Amino acid sequence: MCGIVGYVGSKPAQSVLVNGLARLEYRGYDSAGIAIMGDDGIGVTRTAGRIADLVSVINSEQGSYAGSVGIGHTRWATHGAPVTKNAHPHQDCSATVAVVHNGIIENYIQLRDELIAQGHTFTSDTDTEVLAHMVERMGDQPLELVVRNIMEKAEGALAIGVVRASDPELVVAARRGSPLVIGLGEDENFLASDIPAILEHTRRIAIVGDDNVVSLRSSGIAITDLAGNPVEPIVREIEWDLESAERGGYDDFMLKEIFEQPTALRDTLAGRIDEHHRIHLPELDLTAREARAIDKVFVVACGTSYHAGLMAKYAIERWTRLPVEIDIASEFRYRDPVLDDRTMVIGMSQSGETADTLAALEYAQAQGAYVVATTNVVDSSMARVADAVLYTRAGPEIGVASTKTFVCQLVLMQLLGLYLGQIRGALDGATIELMAKSVRALPEQVEQLLEHADDIMAMARKYKDVKDVFFLGRGASFPIALEGALKLKEIAYVRAEGYPAGEMKHGPIALIEKGVLVIGVATSSHLHAKTLSNMEEVKARSATLLMVLTEGDIDGQRMADDIAWVPHAPELIAPVTAVIPLQLFAYAISKARGLDVDKPRNLAKTVTVE
Ligand code: F6R
């Protein structure tokens, strides 16, 4: 989730772009850069680090360019480490083109190979650079037409801004999936991935539709579709203040991030399931023989990531028949686990910096295990330690409570289970196809579920004074029960316990009485009838029962006092949608209690102490 800014007008572009990027720094902050159209061609300044580092390079004079047209970018790495050579803007061989890009080009390897074969030389590890060479390849053709052509060839969700030395007064932009808006000014126009970047200059915003191409000149803008037909812009007057604009108009980053889950899932899935429903995780760099040699898997993680790790246990065991152990990272290395060179150890971490998980991976590596890190932060400490890295591509998560990174961890573990099943020959094609299709459907299912977010939150607010909550689930719903309880504890400060539903009768059921709320996660599964029996047990003891149910579940509906419906999915895929009502539940209760959801007391986003 990178940030894009563009400007055409009469002001010094450098300061407009840098100020805009500073407003977007919350979107990504591992490197930044700008390209300014000058009398001697395009001047590019870029660096690893934050916007302050970019400003230092600009102030060092070699980095300062005069001009009133340009593009800028702040990066959150997805392809290639966060180093200067991978910072945007990217250029072609002759340095007459500069491109900024947000999103993922799924077929970039194929495009890059094609360009290399045609004689182009690449200087970065990014997917973006292919775009600059594609523009160069099309010579002097009108830039709008060139960009339309690129959008047809590049697969995936992306937003781009392009300048070319031969068009010194022009910025061309386009989008598919990734956000992009145009700011309309007097004799000046702006481009941005997000409104806050340009709000100090204009409140008149034109929304760019999917597969639309925009040319920006100081005199005006023109939008076309990919066939070149003119598109009438939809112009809106923005009333948000700057602070709420940074949160995309949402009250809090957590809510914004809950609503970003469809995009985060799409980005995480990009390029990992092909049209024949085969799973691709080339990052693992495993031959079939090496994959078959693995005889045990460990998952180590903390907090929310641990809950995603539990899900990995269910998926990997079911689909590969490999035994999987799951450990809280702070316990792992002190219990002397049995590891050797046939063991795969998966460290799961949003930040890639959690001290306990990092130490666990270092320990596993010292024992000779094959160490895989799953993280959201490119080049984080865990990514550097591991033998292989699987990235979730959720973009920066700012709310302390993990939401979008959790669902991305879940799908990545589903993909890993399917991939290992596929490469080890443990899974038949029909199962892989069914699961792959179901995983692919998730972003849209989550989108549809979020359309009912207000109803779920209204229902949740009825329970704002609740004191004791049990979250119960069985099988793959159990990690979701744990996660629901953790969310409620951390942001609403409510005593909540996640428990395997079948285990209640061995003790905790003694706590059930009138006034206790039980939240049963009972989506379709082979344990569904048993889960419902466990729900009967708590209901018989006067608990109030809120249930997360698969649409159409009449038996569940009969016993529940309140229901959050989720769409149909196979049992190991369903946890991704089942957690969403629980995120919204915790959020609504926290807000109803007047708490700070983004910065709950006593908690830090990244825990780098043991
Ligand atoms: C809860 C939460 C924490 C983290 C935990 C591990 O919402 O965010 O429980 O999951 O501190 O952090 P990472 O995933 O960065 O290793």
Side-chain angles (χ1 to χ4, degrees):
M1 296 235 179
C2 309
I4 290 177
V5 194
Y7 177 68
V8 281
S10 54
K11 293 178 186 146
Q14 200 164 268
S15 61
V16 175
L17 297 177
V18 169
N19 290 343
L21 290 179
R23 298 275 181 218
L24 293 185
E25 206 164 21
Y26 67 91
R27 284 185 68 90
Y29 33 75
D30 61 44
S31 51
I34 55 175
I36 307 289
M37 307 300 284
D39 295 339
D40 306 324
I42 305 175
V44 171
T45 310
R46 52 187 193 149
T47 184
R50 307 190 72 121
I51 305 302
D53 300 303
L54 179 66
V55 170
S56 304
V57 181
I58 290 173
N59 290 343
S60 70
E61 283 186 15
Q62 306 94 303
S64 182
Y65 294 99
S68 53
V69 175
I71 50 177
H73 188 268
T74 176
R75 178 169 187 251
W76 175 262
T78 55
H79 290 87
V83 292
T84 300
K85 72 167 183 173
N86 291 332
H88 299 213
H90 286 285
Q91 295 206 266
D92 58 326
C93 303
S94 57
T96 55
V97 172
V99 177
V100 290
H101 157 231
N102 178 8
I104 292 164
I105 304 166
E106 291 180 23
N107 57 338
Y108 90 98
I109 292 178
Q110 181 200 324
L111 293 170
R112 193 186 55 191
D113 290 350
E114 196 180 292
L115 287 154
I116 289 172
Q118 289 163 354
H120 292 263
T121 307
F122 280 72
T123 56
S124 78
D125 309 318
T126 64
D127 52 345
T128 306
E129 195 183 339
V130 294
L131 301 173
H133 295 283
M134 286 165 85
V135 176
E136 179 182 33
R137 180 169 67 179
M138 290 191 67
D140 294 337
Q141 301 188 55
L143 193 53
E144 292 89 338
L145 185 136
V146 170
V147 171
R148 284 203 289 273
N149 181 282
I150 287 179
M151 290 302 284
E152 274 178 353
K153 295 214 158 77
E155 290 168 13
L158 65 158
I160 60 174
V162 185
V163 289
R164 188 168 68 177
S166 52
D167 295 290
E169 306 284 315
L170 175 67
V171 172
V172 177
R175 74 167 279 235
R176 181 187 313 124
S178 298
L180 198 68
V181 295
I182 306 297
L184 304 171
E186 291 297 321
D187 299 323
E188 60 180 0
N189 289 299
F190 305 83
L191 171 72
S193 51
D194 298 75
I195 293 169
I198 51 181
L199 207 54
E200 66 177 292
H201 303 287
T202 179
R203 290 186 165 269
R204 288 185 65 224
I205 301 293
I207 310 296
V208 182
D210 267 343
D211 282 320
N212 280 185
V213 174
V214 192
S215 51
L216 293 96
R217 295 182 168 77
S218 54
S219 54
I221 65 153
I223 307 185
T224 52
D225 63 17
L226 287 190
N229 303 311
V231 174
E232 200 50 45
I234 302 165
V235 178
R236 278 204 281 146
E237 198 72 33
I238 299 296
E239 280 158 18
W240 302 330
D241 59 22
L242 194 58
E243 214 184 299
S244 69
E246 279 178 354
R247 297 188 303 262
Y250 292 98
D251 286 348
D252 318 86
F253 278 109
M254 182 181 171
L255 192 61
K256 175 172 184 267
E257 287 158 5
I258 288 174
F259 276 85
E260 280 172 353
Q261 291 180 118
T263 307
L265 287 169
R266 269 189 200 106
D267 286 348
T268 298
L269 289 171
R272 286 171 165 162
I273 303 177
D274 69 19
E275 66 271 30
H276 307 297
H277 315 292
R278 303 282 296 170
I279 315 296
H280 297 273
L281 294 176
E283 306 91 318
L284 291 181
D285 201 17
L286 276 182
T287 61
R289 179 197 287 255
E290 286 162 340
R292 275 197 291 271
I294 296 168
D295 65 3
K296 186 156 55 154
V297 178
F298 280 85
V299 186
V300 284
C302 306
T304 287
S305 295
Y306 173 79
H307 301 153
L310 259 178
M311 165 70 212
K313 175 179 166 65
Y314 291 102
I316 297 172
E317 285 190 341
R318 177 82 61 86
W319 291 329
T320 68
R321 308 311 300 148
L322 274 169
V324 181
E325 286 196 42
I326 163 102
D327 271 70
I328 299 269
S330 53
E331 295 291 324
F332 179 72
R333 69 193 156 127
Y334 298 112
R335 73 171 177 88
D336 204 8
V338 183
L339 312 171
D340 58 29
D341 60 1
R342 300 185 69 178
T343 316
M344 178 187 227
V345 176
I346 305 167
M348 300 199 60
S349 172
Q350 176 279 128
S351 61
E353 301 295 343
T354 301
D356 288 319
T357 314
L358 181 60
L361 294 193
E362 284 166 343
Y363 173 87
Q365 201 155 50
Q367 309 297 308
Y370 170 58
V371 172
V372 179
T374 303
T375 174
N376 197 43
V377 182
V378 171
D379 219 32
S380 52
S381 301
M382 280 179 226
R384 287 199 294 264
V385 160
D387 299 307
V389 191
L390 291 174
Y391 286 111
T392 49
R393 302 176 190 135
E397 191 173 63
I398 293 163
V400 163
S402 292
T403 51
K404 61 176 180 170
T405 54
F406 177 66
V407 293
C408 290
Q409 287 173 335
L410 292 179
V411 296
L412 205 48
M413 288 303 105
Q414 290 163 347
L415 291 182
L416 178 63
L418 291 172
Y419 178 74
L420 290 174
Q422 174 184 285
I423 193 170
R424 288 167 59 91
L427 266 185
D428 59 276
T431 307
I432 298 178
E433 178 171 343
L434 172 68
M435 295 304 152
K437 280 183 176 161
S438 307
V439 171
R440 253 212 177 128
L442 284 168
E444 209 176 317
Q445 288 188 330
V446 172
E447 221 151 51
Q448 285 161 4
L449 185 51
L450 286 171
E451 284 169 15
H452 304 288
D454 284 343
D455 300 335
I456 297 171
M457 290 195 281
M459 180 261 285
R461 281 192 286 273
K462 290 197 296 195
Y463 299 103
K464 93 174 186 17
D465 296 319
V466 70
K467 290 201 169 49
D468 277 305
V469 187
F470 276 91
F471 288 76
L472 305 180
R474 298 184 73 136
S477 295
F478 168 53
I480 300 309
L482 288 175
E483 177 60 7
L486 180 60
K487 289 283 94 78
L488 192 62
K489 281 186 256 208
E490 64 182 339
I491 63 167
Y493 316 148
V494 175
R495 216 163 304 141
E497 206 160 345
Y499 228 79
E503 183 67 7
M504 285 294 283
K505 55 188 172 294
H506 299 291
I509 202 160
L511 294 171
I512 301 293
E513 59 182 346
K514 195 167 168 44
V516 174
L517 174 63
V518 171
I519 301 188
V521 186
T523 47
S524 308
S525 86
H526 71 297
L527 292 168
H528 184 251
K530 291 185 194 302
T531 310
L532 292 196
S533 302
N534 300 138
M535 297 300 118
E536 292 283 11
E537 289 156 14
V538 293
K539 190 118 181 92
R541 286 153 182 90
S542 306
T544 304
L545 188 56
L546 189 167
M547 293 181 78
V548 179
L549 296 173
T550 306
E551 280 157 6
D553 178 356
I554 295 162
D555 295 336
Q557 184 176 17
R558 265 193 216 112
M559 65 177 71
D561 296 300
D562 271 309
I563 300 170
W565 295 110
V566 296
H568 283 272
E571 99 178 65
L572 289 177
I573 310 297
V576 177
T577 49
V579 76
I580 286 161
L582 305 187
Q583 296 169 342
L584 292 165
F585 182 85
Y587 174 84
I589 296 213
S590 174
K591 291 297 280 184
R593 291 179 167 214
L595 302 172
D596 183 343
V597 285
D598 283 340
K599 294 194 196 76
R601 69 187 180 201
N602 306 340
L603 296 178
K605 184 70 185 158
T606 305
V607 184
T608 51
V609 290
E610 225 196 296

